[in-house]
């Protein structure tokens, strides 16, 4: 077995143990049914390259997505009042198209590069807010933001603790070399 594989196995074991233990906090505080929410920021964190500098943008943009959800509700309410709830195109589809266009136009165009313009995290905030509303979950947007932030904490612990344990066992240079992402086509 290569050095890289051994080191990665240690990191993965440490990560599995840490995540399992830390997710129990959700059960302890009475939100067991929302443990799934902790995985979403983990997925996003690693999809964005496990970049610690992206964390503030991830948090702020997620909250911005929740605000866009509120804007969507207001716009849909105005369209429903104007065109009636019996008109699904004008009360649901057109307002949603308008809001999504505004999100993209504002954050990808006008505010490009700003810490509150992380489009994937904005849409994650919007999507989880819709999820809570449509499934009539007994939580609010502040709960979702808290779960999101806790999931980011889990991602940070996974990386930092895994690296610390691997450095302690294998030495700094070996651990860092082994845990650097491989480029496509690069040999093991």
């Amino acid at each position: 077995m290569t050095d890289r594989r051994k080191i990665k196995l240690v990191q993965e074991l440490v990560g599995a143990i840490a995540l399992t233990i830390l997710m129990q906090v959700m059960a302890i505080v009475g939100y067991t049914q929302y443990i799934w929410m902790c995985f979403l920021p983990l997925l996003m964190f690693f999809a964005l390259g496990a970049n610690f500098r992206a964390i503030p943008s991830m948090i702020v943009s997620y909250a911005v997505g929740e605000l866009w959800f509120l804007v969507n509700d207001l716009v849909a309410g105005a369209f429903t009042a104007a065109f009636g709830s019996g008109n699904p195109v004008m009360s649901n589809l057109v307002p949603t198209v308008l809001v999504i266009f505004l999100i993209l136009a504002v954050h990808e165009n006008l505010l490009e590069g700003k810490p509150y313009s992380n489009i994937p995290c904005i849409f994650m905030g919007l999507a989880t807010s819709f999820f809570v509303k449509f499934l009539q979950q007994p939580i609010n947007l502040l709960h979702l933001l808290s779960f999101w932030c806790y999931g980011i904490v889990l991602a940070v612990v996974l990386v930092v603790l895994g690296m610390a344990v691997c450095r302690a066992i294998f030495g700094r240079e070996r651990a860092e070399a082994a845990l650097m992402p491989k480029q496509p086509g690069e040999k093991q």
Side-chain angles (χ1 to χ4, degrees):
M1 181 180 308
T2 66
D3 206 33
R4 179 178 175 80
R5 289 198 193 276
K6 285 183 227 174
I7 293 168
K8 287 180 74 73
L9 282 171
V10 169
Q11 182 198 35
E12 292 153 359
L13 179 60
V14 169
I17 293 168
L19 288 179
T20 301
I21 291 169
L22 290 174
M23 285 197 180
Q24 301 316 304
V25 170
M26 295 291 284
I28 292 167
V29 297
Y31 292 105
T32 305
Q33 68 273 32
Y34 300 104
I35 288 176
W36 60 270
M37 182 64 196
C38 292
F39 286 99
L40 299 177
L42 275 167
L43 295 170
M44 193 65 65
F45 177 74
F46 288 108
L48 295 172
N51 180 356
F52 290 105
R53 287 185 226 119
I55 290 173
S57 173
M58 290 177 65
I59 294 169
V60 173
S61 294
Y62 182 87
V64 166
E66 291 179 320
L67 294 175
W68 277 109
F69 164 77
L70 297 173
V71 169
N72 188 80
D73 263 5
L74 292 172
V75 172
F79 272 69
T80 299
F83 299 102
S85 61
N87 186 339
V89 170
M90 293 307 289
S91 65
N92 290 321
L93 295 178
V94 171
T96 301
V97 167
L98 178 62
V99 170
I100 290 173
F101 170 76
L102 288 173
I103 290 170
L104 294 172
V106 167
H107 296 282
E108 270 195 337
N109 194 345
L110 298 174
L111 302 174
E112 183 178 18
K114 302 289 186 206
Y116 41 82
S117 290
N118 180 322
I119 296 295
C121 292
I122 290 172
F123 279 119
M124 190 68 77
L126 180 69
T128 54
S129 299
F130 277 126
F131 178 82
V132 165
K133 177 183 178 183
F134 294 150
L135 294 181
Q136 300 174 354
Q137 298 294 304
I139 58 174
N140 59 41
L141 299 181
L142 187 56
H143 286 103
L144 285 177
L145 182 59
S146 298
F147 300 158
W148 179 259
C149 289
Y150 188 63
I152 290 173
V153 167
L154 297 179
V156 169
V157 168
L158 176 72
V159 172
V160 171
L161 186 61
M163 182 58 87
V165 169
C166 288
R167 282 178 180 161
I169 295 171
F170 300 101
R172 181 182 178 137
E173 289 85 26
R174 283 176 63 199
E176 288 178 5
L179 296 175
M180 288 298 296
K182 290 283 184 184
Q183 298 303 315
E186 190 177 339
K187 288 185 178 184
Q188 293 286 351

